[in-house]
Amino acid sequence: MAESQDPKTSNQNPKPPVQLPPEPPIELNNNGSSNSGQRIHYPNPPEKVNPDTTTLRDQWRFAIRQYSKWYSHAWGTAIFAGGAFFALGWIIKGGNPLPSKDPHLSKSQVSSSKHDD
């Protein structure tokens, strides 16, 4: 195979995307009835052809970055909320809200207080 025909080293531009003729707009005639049997025109119809691999790769990387950002924000919010509720419990109770972490209580006192309810 000659070097000029090798697709990996070729300096030629890829094929331009295929231009399809525009579809005529769909008119809905809603005479006070339901839309049964009528096609609905969506504002963003699906593409007719798949985009090239570079575009898909860029979109995928962007989606991963967005998901990672949202995931980390969700964890940060959850940790912050947990700390805030723990602090609120400490303020309301006037001490440690977790009885298992109180050094003055023994295990028998904690278990007996559960059964006294």
Side-chain angles (χ1 to χ4, degrees):
M1 181 185 254
E3 288 183 24
S4 62
Q5 293 178 351
D6 188 7
K8 293 180 182 176
T9 60
S10 175
N11 290 334
Q12 297 176 357
N13 292 333
K15 294 181 195 176
V18 177
Q19 296 293 330
L20 297 175
E23 292 184 12
I26 299 171
E27 296 180 17
L28 293 178
N29 186 5
N30 192 1
N31 296 328
S33 62
S34 67
N35 279 341
S36 61
Q38 296 179 351
R39 291 181 57 190
I40 299 173
H41 182 264
Y42 294 100
N44 296 320
E47 296 178 353
K48 300 293 182 191
V49 294
N50 289 336
D52 61 322
T53 55
T54 306
T55 303
L56 290 174
R57 190 177 300 115
D58 289 343
Q59 289 175 346
W60 183 252
R61 287 179 180 161
F62 176 77
I64 290 173
R65 280 194 307 271
Q66 286 296 103
Y67 176 80
S68 299
K69 186 192 306 183
W70 295 339
Y71 189 81
S72 65
H73 283 198
W75 270 107
T77 303
I79 292 169
F80 178 76
F85 281 117
F86 182 81
L88 184 64
W90 193 295
I91 291 168
I92 291 171
K93 185 178 178 188
N96 190 346
L98 300 176
S100 62
K101 299 293 183 183
D102 193 357
H104 303 296
L105 289 177
S106 66
K107 289 184 180 181
S108 62
Q109 289 175 333
V110 172
S111 63
S112 66
S113 67
K114 289 181 184 177
H115 296 295
D116 291 342
D117 291 339

